Amino acid sequence: MRTTALGPRERAGALAGMAERELDVLVVGGGVVGAGTALDAATRGLATGLVEARDWASGTSSRSSKLIHGGLRYLEMLDFGLVREALKERGLLLERLAPHLVRPVPFLYPLRHRAWERFYAGSGVALYDAMSLSSGHGRGLPRHPHLSRRQALRIAPALRKDALVGALQYYDAQVDDARFVATLVRTAAGYGALVANRARVTEFLREGERVVGVRVRDLEEDGSYEIRARQVVNATGVWTDDTQAMIAERGQFHVRASKGIHLVVPKDRIHSSTGVILRTETSVLFVIPWGRHWIVGTTDTAWDLDKAHPAASSADIDYLLDHVNSVLAVPLTRDDVEGVY
């Protein structure tokens, strides 16, 4: 793995370097997609630039559920191609690409019905494990066991006895999402990409119908740079429509912002040695171990206010507390919530 410093001197040099010559690829947006795109381009030998208006991973890429998962619930939607691809990438990250940042994490799935649910859910998890193994990169994770109620309560004493008749335990993977993005950016820079955060695109440069570059505002030194590139990649996530609007054209696709709320509660409030996954009316809810805390999430509701600062409503918090408390012997209260993101 190649890496490099990302200090003020390197940042200033990168902005100056991007303005000196035409790049092959300029990526706008420093989340995981933009950082990965820049790394991909740089390792192919392309002259690459990456600019981010705020800090690396400052949007969605630092506010995730911290999971690298294959998408178990997408099996129920019969989206086998998506699950197969995600499981292969999960295995590559665990075994080869980022074993220092990605690690296995167990989840308990409580069963509420005795026969049919164990067969139905067990078949899905067995297929999940089989697809992981068939990818050639799934040997680093244990296979799922079937558990009785007594066995489940032994590893997750926080659960109410009447909330389950048994359980399944399966494994996915966990990642420090912001650090992962920073590592991608550093590695891209190590391969020659010119990268600069706190550099906001204010205008797209055009020659006829073709976009040939951008004008960037240096938010640290209050300077302005004109950066030209043969290809400009829009990797701005929920800001995609705003970015496209700067070209004064309708984009070919649109991104509708949604809000996924997570609660952060102290580790001692839920006595368990495993994470928990629960079905809800519309999706799933995770209780995820995270250092000295648990992360409880998530919601999925439309958001049309400030994209940089999505806020949790009282209804969001109640929704998560109500669902997680449906299985906890000692319910969580609002006083237990140390943070929300």
Side-chain angles (χ1 to χ4, degrees), residues 194-316:
L194 301 171
V195 304
N197 57 355
R198 298 285 293 162
R200 184 184 301 279
V201 172
T202 59
E203 181 185 351
F204 282 88
L205 308 177
R206 301 180 66 166
E207 291 180 358
E209 296 299 311
R210 184 167 173 264
V211 174
V212 296
V214 300
R215 184 164 283 109
V216 167
R217 189 75 180 173
D218 181 351
L219 301 181
E220 287 295 311
E221 302 297 334
D222 200 28
S224 182
Y225 295 86
E226 191 172 283
I227 303 172
R228 303 182 75 84
R230 296 169 61 191
Q231 297 291 335
V232 178
V233 178
N234 177 5
T236 54
V238 293
W239 288 272
T240 293
D241 288 6
D242 300 332
T243 305
Q244 289 176 158
M246 295 168 63
I247 313 175
E249 287 185 358
R250 288 179 58 86
Q252 295 186 7
F253 64 92
H254 297 277
V255 174
R256 182 169 63 92
S258 64
K259 179 180 60 171
I261 296 301
H262 299 76
L263 308 181
V264 182
V265 300
K267 197 65 174 285
D268 62 5
R269 286 297 291 111
I270 301 176
H271 187 196
S272 176
S273 60
T274 178
V276 180
I277 179 174
L278 307 172
R279 293 184 71 104
T280 69
E281 300 86 350
T282 57
S283 183
V284 295
L285 182 140
F286 286 100
V287 181
I288 305 164
W290 185 250
R292 293 179 296 172
H293 294 85
W294 295 98
I295 295 173
V296 181
T298 181
T299 60
D300 186 9
T301 55
W303 179 256
D304 56 8
L305 300 176
D306 183 1
K307 295 185 181 73
H309 302 287
S313 68
S314 180
D316 291 330

Side-chain angles (χ1 to χ4, degrees), residues 153-195:
L153 292 174
R154 188 176 300 132
I155 62 175
L159 299 180
R160 284 173 26 202
K161 291 182 180 180
D162 61 353
L164 71 164
V165 296
L168 299 170
Q169 188 177 47
Y170 76 98
Y171 281 77
D172 254 321
Q174 186 171 62
V175 65
D176 185 329
D177 51 4
R179 188 178 171 201
F180 179 67
V181 174
T183 301
L184 287 176
V185 174
R186 287 182 185 277
T187 308
Y191 279 99
L194 301 171
V195 304

Side-chain angles (χ1 to χ4, degrees), residues 1 66-68 93-104 173-184 187 290:
M1 179 184 294
K66 321 297 184 189
L67 295 178
I68 298 288
L93 286 164
L94 277 165
E95 296 174 6
R96 184 186 305 170
L97 299 178
H100 61 302
L101 297 177
V102 181
R103 63 180 182 85
Q174 186 171 62
V175 65
D176 185 329
D177 51 4
R179 188 178 171 201
F180 179 67
V181 174
T183 301
L184 287 176
T187 308
W290 185 250

